Amino acid sequence: MASDDSPLPHTLGCSLQKCFRALQEQHETWKSVLAGCTSLLGSLGNLAEQMQASHKVAFANTPLRDFPSLPERLRCRQRCAAEALLEELWGKLLELQKVRDTVGVHIASVSQLYEQQEGLGQERAFQRSVLCPSLADMLEWLLDAEGFYHSICLEVRMLLLQVTYENLPQMQSLPQSWEQVLQHSLRDVVEGNRSHEDCAFGGGERHTGP
């Protein structure tokens, strides 16, 4: 619950606390999904390297020339493996989008409740102390967090849309491209602003992830 000396109306304070807690829980899921993407993209990059290497093999000049269907069968198997990895990655994107949408619902609820508050003037909304952010600070941070999720989801989607079997070197570079996405995610407004909730609601009450 919000502290007794909080400048926030009780219902709005409770809604904010619920939103912050939901955000932290969803963020644990978010990080887990990102880790899964890292593994899958590494496998896809390795597979692209194998596909490119097989294209350079002159099977007719090897003992495998007695198996004329082998090159096509190998390419088919590699293509199927790549399709399976891509399908899993698109599934991961859906999981990221689910986190994004769940967070958005909670933030929209807080925003709607804020708009319904009567008598909550600008002075009260911008009231802050040395240790505690203002309501305006917290609302701004929540919107920044929502924008963060939207931005990373878009980056992941654009990365997957660029995958093409006609450009195997680009597929091999997927792990490096993914590292750039992860670097952007290190500018983590969710992890970096936990003090907002700690100050407003008391760090001892906040639910934390593992």
Side-chain angles (χ1 to χ4, degrees):
M1 300 294 291
S3 60
D4 293 337
D5 59 350
S6 171
L8 303 179
H10 178 74
T11 54
L12 184 55
C14 289
S15 182
L16 273 166
Q17 185 180 27
K18 181 180 178 181
C19 184
F20 274 108
R21 286 182 173 177
L23 185 54
Q24 292 299 333
E25 291 171 0
Q26 289 298 315
H27 196 62
E28 293 303 317
T29 300
W30 174 270
K31 291 189 294 183
S32 176
V33 176
L34 289 182
C37 289
T38 299
S39 176
L40 290 169
L41 283 162
S43 296
L44 189 57
N46 290 335
L47 182 58
E49 185 175 353
Q50 295 172 23
M51 293 169 73
Q52 187 170 32
S54 67
H55 289 171
K56 296 178 180 179
V57 176
F59 287 92
N61 299 327
T62 72
L64 296 176
R65 60 180 176 273
D66 295 331
F67 305 92
S69 64
L70 181 60
E72 183 59 31
R73 288 167 56 191
L74 178 60
R75 281 192 290 269
C76 181
R77 177 172 295 186
Q78 291 173 331
R79 181 75 173 260
C80 288
E83 291 285 357
L85 289 169
L86 277 173
E87 185 176 353
E88 287 191 68
L89 282 164
W90 282 107
K92 292 295 184 184
L93 176 59
L94 290 178
E95 293 181 48
L96 293 176
Q97 291 172 334
K98 183 178 179 181
V99 170
R100 176 201 65 190
D101 295 343
T102 300
V103 168
V105 168
H106 282 282
I107 294 175
S109 177
V110 171
S111 298
Q112 183 179 22
L113 187 59
Y114 166 69
E115 293 172 358
Q116 294 172 350
Q117 298 299 308
E118 297 180 0
L120 186 64
Q122 284 192 353
E123 181 177 352
R124 195 174 180 187
F126 284 90
Q127 181 179 345
R128 66 163 68 94
S129 68
V130 175
L131 298 178
C132 184
S134 67
L135 171 60
D137 291 331
M138 288 187 283
L139 291 176
E140 181 180 14
W141 175 73
L142 287 174
L143 292 175
D144 286 344
E146 184 178 19
F148 163 80
Y149 288 123
H150 276 276
S151 176
I152 298 300
C153 280
L154 181 60
E155 286 194 63
V156 175
R157 177 177 173 79
M158 293 303 297
L159 183 64
L160 295 181
L161 286 174
Q162 293 171 15
V163 175
T164 170
Y165 300 114
E166 285 69 39
N167 190 346
L168 291 176
Q170 187 270 343
M171 283 183 66
Q172 292 178 55
S173 69
L174 283 174
Q176 290 72 38
S177 300
W178 177 246
E179 283 300 320
Q180 295 180 11
V181 175
L182 291 182
Q183 286 298 316
H184 294 167
S185 72
L186 289 178
R187 300 199 299 267
D188 192 335
V189 295
V190 178
E191 295 286 356
N193 287 274
R194 284 184 172 179
S195 58
H196 284 62
E197 186 190 2
D198 287 340
C199 291
F201 307 115
E205 296 182 11
R206 179 171 57 83
H207 170 75
T208 59

